[in-house]
Amino acid sequence: MTPEQSSVPAPRTAPASPPPPAGPPGPSSRQAFALRWERREPPLPSVAVLALGAAVPGLALAARERIRAGARLAVLADDGPGLPAAERSLLVLGAEADLPWADGVRYLAQDEGLLTPTTARPAPAAALWRRALGAAEGQLCVLVPGRALIADPPVPLGSAEVLDPYTVSTGTGPDGGADGTP
């Protein structure tokens, strides 16, 4: 396995959900709170772009082209065996000017140690969500509506070809063609 390949796999994402309900009062009890999203104005600068489901092949193609053009990007992918196309995810990190564009992606910003949409903020505060999700110091933590991801930060890719497996749709129907076209 090359260093580039080792930076691509990511742990499986899970639906974002609040911590367990609060128990009886005491020093070890956790308080439950609901996740709400509030509009952020002005948007924060982008540090990453996230594709989910059918948007993955388009982002992989765009990222591959940006890397070939000299952009320095790091990538995390959630594409485990048997994972339905609708649950696939691809996260590309880099300088704002280097980030690729593709249909259906979300641009993410750094918010108190949490990657969130550039135009939305989680409520309560991002720092509380990072702790509630269990992200350890130094881990990457992403929170978007309906998804959360915690992983070790990837290293920048040295080869754009590492993205080749992600450029082909694996689904059928509206999320991707059965013939393997993106």
Side-chain angles (χ1 to χ4, degrees):
M1 183 175 272
T2 66
E4 291 86 13
Q5 290 170 323
S6 65
S7 68
V8 175
R12 190 143 193 238
T13 56
S17 61
S28 64
S29 68
R30 298 176 96 183
Q31 204 168 18
F33 48 93
L35 173 60
R36 296 183 327 273
W37 290 96
E38 298 172 349
R39 185 168 180 79
R40 182 190 306 274
E41 285 293 333
L44 293 175
S46 300
V47 297
V49 60
L50 175 68
L52 301 172
V56 168
L59 180 58
L61 284 167
R64 187 176 65 182
E65 294 310 310
R66 296 294 297 139
I67 291 167
R68 287 180 178 160
R72 188 170 157 83
L73 301 174
V75 175
L76 285 173
D78 187 1
D79 193 26
L83 189 65
E87 293 182 27
R88 294 171 67 199
S89 62
L90 182 67
L91 179 69
V92 178
L93 299 106
E96 187 171 34
D98 288 341
L99 292 174
W101 178 89
D103 282 333
V105 300
R106 290 185 175 154
Y107 287 88
L108 306 178
Q110 189 67 244
D111 184 2
E112 298 183 51
L114 190 66
L115 291 178
T116 63
T118 59
T119 59
R121 72 170 46 93
L128 293 174
W129 281 105
R130 182 175 171 79
R131 267 182 290 173
L133 291 168
E137 185 66 35
Q139 283 189 307
L140 184 68
C141 189
V142 178
L143 182 63
V144 295
R147 291 269 179 118
L149 176 132
I150 299 169
D152 291 329
V155 296
L157 294 178
S159 169
E161 284 66 37
V162 172
L163 289 166
D164 287 350
Y166 306 99
T167 62
V168 178
S169 176
T170 60
T172 58
D175 280 350
D179 61 352
T181 57

